[in-house]
Amino acid sequence: MRTAISLAYLVAAVLFIVGLKQLSSPKGARNGNFIAAAGMVIALVATLPLLNFTSAGVTIILIGIVIGTAVGAVGARMVKMTAIPQMVALFNGVGGGAAALVAVAELLRMGQHPAFTEAFPSIFSIVIGSISFAGSMVAFAKLQELMTGTPITYPGQQVVNGILAAAIFGFVIAVLAVASVPFSFIALMVLALVLGVAFVLPIGGADMPVVISLLNAFTGLAVAASGFTLNNFALIVAGTLVGASGSLLTKMMSDAMGRSLANVLFGAFGKSHAGAAAIAGKEGRSVRSGSAEDIGTLLAYSQRVIIVPGYGLAVAQAQHAARELAELLERRGVEVSYAIHPVAGRMPGHMNVLLAEANVPYEQLKEMDEINDEFKNADVALIVGANDVVNPSARNAPGSPIYGMPILNADQAKNIIFMKRSMRPGFAGIDNDLMYDPKTVMFFGDAKDSLTKLVAAVKAAA
Ligand code: NDP
């Protein structure tokens, strides 16, 4: 039986890895999810024979499976696309909390004076799982606007957080060295929960996706540690995969934002947005704005159009209108593609998900590195609700908060159409020189309304 279970775990592990690999392209992402979920079902079913079916615990486990499946399935079906980040935060937090509780149960089972090698993974799991749980709950509350999304800071905050971390370290030593202290790990858990909250409070709401990705890595590590405690190979593999991919995603997102992870975690980015917004666009420079008819004619007679979608496209839910415009242009012989910046929108893969939902062909979605050289040959860069990801100050303004962030070369296109509602800045809260570029025509309005007007204008163009 043990061999059969190990083989099933091996199959599950392979499916997790293949599923993850599939997630690396929009084309394979849907299948990747199914494959990884199949792996999870196999791992769950393979675990059942390990249970003592006569014990009362089995009923509790079965009730847990039913409740978990129902909440997961209903939640995933009902959640709005814009609320995915907070759903991920919630589910991730629950995973971290579960790993911590499993570790508590194991420590209780071990009784007094467990061997160091036995106790250490459990202690690790309690600390990291609790931080992940509490931090994810704060991230959820920020994104769901149950609390303010602006960074909550106070003088000496990092010192206080440092003291908390040091106290946790001290308790870990105490629990491992003097394990006879009954329930000392409860204090450890409370401290870790407090640190989880304190760690996320000073981080701005819009930076939450990066934090969630990091906490996701934490949960993975806590789960892997639980795997060591329970001697469960599937948990070790799954936890390590989550830990590794979460860490990589955190690094890639920070790089794509042109910021260090330390700046995301400790920089209180977004604290001064209101001030930044107030100065944006007040330099007395003039911009050109155009009519739907003029822009429609320009698009209709172009050979090459690159659409640059951004957060505003998501807010306006303009993905279907964008696809309609693109299809119309393609029927006229215009070559259309979409330039996807890795951190456009507010969560990883935001634009891919939205455009896939609108059935935009995958071949038209081009990653930044793939398309950046093509802007110079494009007749029009049509910027739909994007801002920071095309802001040239990332290249040429060393003092700018986004200096160093790789951007889409929209400024190199022959014509630039900038679609947004006002002169207000984007997430970074800074003015965008591209709006004042002589090649740029602003087209003000809600992205969905504006695209619908452009569709009509292109149809009307002779
Ligand atoms: P930005 O936030 O820079 O800009 C979005 C623009 O959309 C705004 O300037 C806004 O202007 C416009 N807009 C908002 N609503 C509408 C609407 N209904 N119709 C038309 N326009 C609208 O978005 P980008 O996608 O360019 O950049 C993403 C930013 O978010 C980057 O700074 C990135 O670092 C950050 N970020 C991304 C994460 C990710 O994982 N993707 C995670 C965390 C942060 P106006 O108000 O005038 O309409």
Side-chain angles (χ1 to χ4, degrees), residues 327-365:
E327 279 180 357
L328 189 63
L329 292 173
E330 292 235 300
R331 281 203 293 277
R332 292 184 63 103
V334 184
E335 195 188 327
V336 182
S337 27
Y338 297 78
I340 309 295
H341 190 282
V343 290
R346 289 292 184 274
M347 61 176 175
H350 204 167
M351 297 300 119
N352 294 92
V353 171
L354 283 175
L355 295 169
E357 183 204 323
N359 291 325
V360 170
Y362 296 125
E363 307 73 57
Q364 287 183 355
L365 306 181

Side-chain angles (χ1 to χ4, degrees), residues 206-207 209-210 253 257 309-312 315-316 342-348 385-389 405 419-428 445-447:
D207 273 343
V210 188
M253 284 173 77
M257 294 164 108
Y311 177 61
V315 175
V343 290
R346 289 292 184 274
M347 61 176 175
N387 193 343
D388 294 343
V389 299
M405 167 173 162
M419 294 170 61
K420 65 203 292 294
R421 297 164 306 174
S422 66
M423 294 298 287
R424 278 194 299 270
F427 168 69
D446 174 76

